[in-house]
Amino acid sequence: MKGSNEVVGIDYTPIEGAIDISTQHDGKLWKEIIKEGEGDETPQDGVEVNVHYIGTLTDGTEFDRSDRQAKPFSFNLGKKSVIPGWEIGVASMKKGEVCKLIIHPEFGYGKSGSGKIPGNATLIFEIELIDWKYEDLTPNQNGGIIRRIIKFGGSKYYHPNEGANLKVALEGFHDGRSFDKREVEFVLGEASEHNICPGIEHALYKITEGEQCELTLKPKYAFGSKGSEEFGVPPNAQVKYIVSLLKFTKGKEAWSLDGMEKMECAREFKEKGTKFFKAKKYILARQYYKKIVDFLKMEASVLDGDIEEERKWLLAMAHFNQAQCSLELQDFLAAKNSADEGLQIQPDNVKGWFRRGLGNIGLKEPRPAKLDFEKVLELEPTNKLAAQKLHLANEMIKDDAEKERKLYAKMFRSAD
């Protein structure tokens, strides 16, 4: 039996042309090229690669192969979803290349093994790299924001956050024409103030300092159905941008602040939210009101007296103002939910009940809307606008009842 501290070697004698691709060049990961690939490009971290493979032990025992499956095996490089030998080996391959990887246990399954693979086993994989797709940064993976890294930056785990101060170099292209070349400094979350595409802003949360990348943006994440008159980009156009994150300073994060520091941030968020609301920039305004909630919702146990009363007021105000922003954006469910949250704090707030009523009207829910407007009138009997909306809710209820009556009448006639 091998001692627990005994060094395990690799069960392989390199042939002519074999390449040591181990990180320390210590003979723990070898590559033999069976078929050369195309061009010079190799896949990079974040891309989805498609491969076929056959895995064997050094005695020839086959333990796995992909050609028994309906389609090639796919994985994302750099996400640690495969053994280290694969991460390094596949990243060294060109499209169409076929190679053999000889993998020391340290780069394979170690002393524990896995399934049919015994502990401390040297592994041999014959791999064909079929192709790869660049990293899709859209939340639903619909291909709207595709990143190709040109130059890697610093630590891949250190990214800008919302509120970070950025300095970015941009150059946009459409049909081969450069239309937007500049350096710009802005706060992450406010890119629209600088006519920066939403796809670029979304990508910047994943980009590292010093990184340069190419972003391919579908219209939804570029200039949409209106295009850009300023840049001469037509409606519904796909564009490319070369983006360099030159430097950034992280925004304040709630977890790193004490209660009083969070209160100071919340006051600043309120000022920004109000500024954007007055400018009718409701998405940005709602974003800052939401940040107030994120910073203050858990602080009740550490604040007291007048400061605690101010915290409650700021929280309620943030919820009610989010509701108003959502109404302006016709996001009626969000409006209703935000008003609900605010009313948990200030149950007699007239604006809260009124905005919840408008949310219910927008959702075509006249019965709860009727109760909301009745509550407004209970608290403020002379509120003419609430009376008008109550009348509207009652008319909607009557219309719904008439539609139901006609539907049931038709159903009964059909049954006869």
Side-chain angles (χ1 to χ4, degrees), residues 111-344:
K111 64 182 180 180
S112 301
S114 176
K116 299 177 182 178
I117 301 170
N120 289 324
T122 295
L123 308 177
I124 301 174
F125 281 97
E126 182 176 308
I127 301 176
E128 176 189 5
L129 177 54
I130 300 168
D131 58 19
W132 64 82
K133 293 186 287 188
Y134 288 106
E135 187 174 13
D136 186 348
L137 298 181
T138 43
N140 55 2
Q141 299 289 290
N142 66 2
I145 308 169
I146 301 297
R147 172 172 69 168
R148 179 177 70 85
I149 297 175
I150 300 169
K151 174 189 170 188
F152 284 91
S155 169
K156 62 182 179 181
Y157 303 110
Y158 187 70
H159 306 280
N161 63 338
E162 188 173 337
N165 289 285
L166 312 177
K167 184 176 182 181
V168 177
L170 306 171
E171 185 170 9
F173 297 89
H174 175 252
D175 281 347
R177 176 183 66 87
S178 173
F179 63 81
D180 176 19
K181 187 173 184 178
R182 54 184 161 140
E183 286 188 5
V184 58
E185 297 186 40
F186 65 99
V187 174
L188 192 55
E190 299 180 17
S192 60
E193 291 293 277
H194 302 269
N195 203 7
I196 294 173
C197 298
I200 294 175
E201 180 162 58
H202 184 86
L204 282 165
Y205 287 94
K206 302 287 184 70
I207 293 175
T208 59
E209 187 170 272
E211 179 182 322
Q212 183 182 59
C213 65
E214 177 189 79
L215 299 176
T216 302
L217 306 177
K218 287 187 176 178
K220 177 181 177 181
Y221 299 96
F223 298 101
S225 60
K226 295 182 179 178
S228 172
E229 185 176 342
E230 177 184 349
F231 295 135
V233 177
N236 298 311
Q238 179 170 293
V239 301
K240 290 182 184 284
Y241 264 91
I242 304 298
V243 179
S244 300
L245 179 53
L246 304 177
K247 64 179 182 179
F248 76 90
T249 304
K250 278 214 166 198
K252 292 177 181 178
E253 297 179 297
W255 62 265
S256 67
L257 306 175
D258 63 26
M260 293 303 293
E261 289 171 328
K262 291 178 186 177
M263 286 291 294
E264 185 58 37
C265 287
R267 296 180 190 114
E268 293 174 8
F269 299 153
K270 176 182 176 295
E271 288 181 11
K272 281 201 166 188
T274 301
K275 179 187 77 171
F276 286 125
F277 186 87
K278 288 179 177 178
K280 299 185 178 180
K281 296 175 179 177
Y282 301 116
I283 292 176
L284 287 172
R286 183 169 67 171
Q287 179 177 297
Y288 278 102
Y289 293 134
K290 181 180 181 301
K291 288 183 76 170
I292 294 173
V293 175
D294 292 340
F295 271 56
L296 296 185
K297 62 185 176 183
M298 302 301 291
E299 290 303 303
S301 61
V302 296
L303 299 172
D304 54 27
D306 291 342
I307 295 296
E308 171 58 9
E309 289 305 308
E310 183 187 5
R311 183 193 74 87
K312 289 179 180 177
W313 179 84
L314 281 168
L315 262 180
M317 176 278 305
H319 285 304
F320 295 139
N321 286 359
Q322 279 188 84
Q324 186 59 42
C325 290
S326 296
L327 289 170
E328 300 289 352
L329 295 166
Q330 297 192 348
D331 186 352
F332 298 115
L333 180 60
K336 175 184 176 298
N337 290 340
S338 293
D340 276 339
E341 293 289 337
L343 290 167
Q344 295 294 317

Side-chain angles (χ1 to χ4, degrees), residues 172 355 395:
R355 291 170 187 175
E395 289 300 308

Side-chain angles (χ1 to χ4, degrees), residues 361-373:
I361 290 289
L363 292 168
K364 303 293 190 291
E365 296 286 351
R367 285 177 173 79
K370 170 183 166 71
L371 298 176
D372 293 331
F373 297 128

